[in-house]
């Protein structure tokens, strides 16, 4: 099997269900994620978010459109001050118990998986940004965290 990195785009943050959502999109398609797939993913997102616990309400998501019929939404939310809560959704992927090949028909499989190789690069960036802007300063700066994202490019190592 030949491995190829995918494209990574970084749309601006949005607010959903009272949480600030940083967004990463992953796809091999230079046109990006289709609007109908993006809309369907963000419609299911509230069901993937944890209850408030006093931690600044911040989440980062990775929306990944596979080369086949699959689409994947990984929601990583900060809880308990410094812990990542994970919930994921998938569409169009029979191997993940999706009922059909429709990339807009998201379901929430109960699997202990947190992401594939193309979906993992934002995690280290987000860990470092959380430490820098929320845990280290005397006064946490959620706005600074929300603007500190991995730059667009590819999912691979950067030189």
């Amino acid at each position: 099997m030949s491995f190829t990195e995918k494209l990574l785009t970084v749309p601006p943050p949005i607010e959903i269900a009272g949480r600030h959502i940083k967004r990463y999109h992953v796809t091999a398609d230079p046109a990006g994620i289709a609007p109908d797939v993006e809309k369907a993913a963000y419609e299911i997102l509230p069901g993937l978010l944890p209850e408030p616990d006093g931690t600044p309400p911040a989440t980062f998501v990775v929306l990944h459109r596979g080369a086949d019929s699959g689409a994947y939404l990984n929601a990583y939310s900060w809880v308990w001050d410094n812990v990542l809560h994970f919930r994921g959704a998938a569409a169009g992927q029979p191997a993940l118990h999706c009922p059909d090949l429709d990339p807009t028909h998201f379901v929430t499989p109960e699997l202990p998986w947190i992401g594939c190789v193309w979906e993992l690069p934002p995690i280290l960036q987000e860990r470092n940004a959380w430490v820098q802007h929320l845990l280290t300063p005397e006064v946490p700066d959620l706005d600074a965290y929300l603007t500190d994202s991995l730059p667009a490019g590819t999912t691979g190592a950067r030189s």
Side-chain angles (χ1 to χ4, degrees):
M1 176 188 334
S2 177
F3 176 79
T4 304
E5 295 291 354
K6 292 188 178 183
L7 301 173
L8 177 78
T9 57
V10 186
I14 57 176
E15 192 170 324
I16 293 179
R19 293 188 76 87
H20 301 279
I21 312 293
K22 292 174 73 172
R23 302 183 295 159
Y24 295 95
H25 289 183
V26 173
T27 181
D29 186 348
I33 304 286
D36 60 336
V37 173
E38 181 178 4
K39 180 179 184 288
Y42 293 127
E43 284 175 353
I44 198 170
L45 182 55
L48 304 179
L49 302 174
E51 293 295 320
D53 70 351
T55 302
T59 294
F60 63 96
V61 298
V62 178
L63 176 57
H64 178 191
R65 184 67 165 95
D68 56 8
S69 57
Y72 315 93
L73 179 65
N74 296 344
Y76 305 94
S77 299
W78 292 104
V79 297
W80 206 34
D81 188 44
N82 60 15
V83 173
L84 273 181
H85 169 279
F86 172 79
R87 287 285 319 267
Q93 181 52 262
L96 297 179
H97 313 293
C98 295
D100 52 44
L101 298 179
D102 181 352
T104 66
H105 186 189
F106 281 88
V107 298
T108 54
E110 293 297 325
L111 295 170
W113 302 350
I114 64 165
C116 73
V117 296
W118 295 289
E119 297 161 355
L120 296 177
I123 293 176
L124 180 57
Q125 161 65 31
E126 294 303 315
R127 177 260 183 217
N128 291 339
W130 191 257
V131 168
Q132 180 181 354
H133 301 295
L134 278 292
L135 299 181
T136 302
E138 189 171 316
V139 176
D141 190 346
L142 182 59
D143 290 335
Y145 168 75
L146 294 173
T147 62
D148 188 348
S149 295
L150 194 64
T154 69
T155 53
R158 302 178 185 223
S159 43

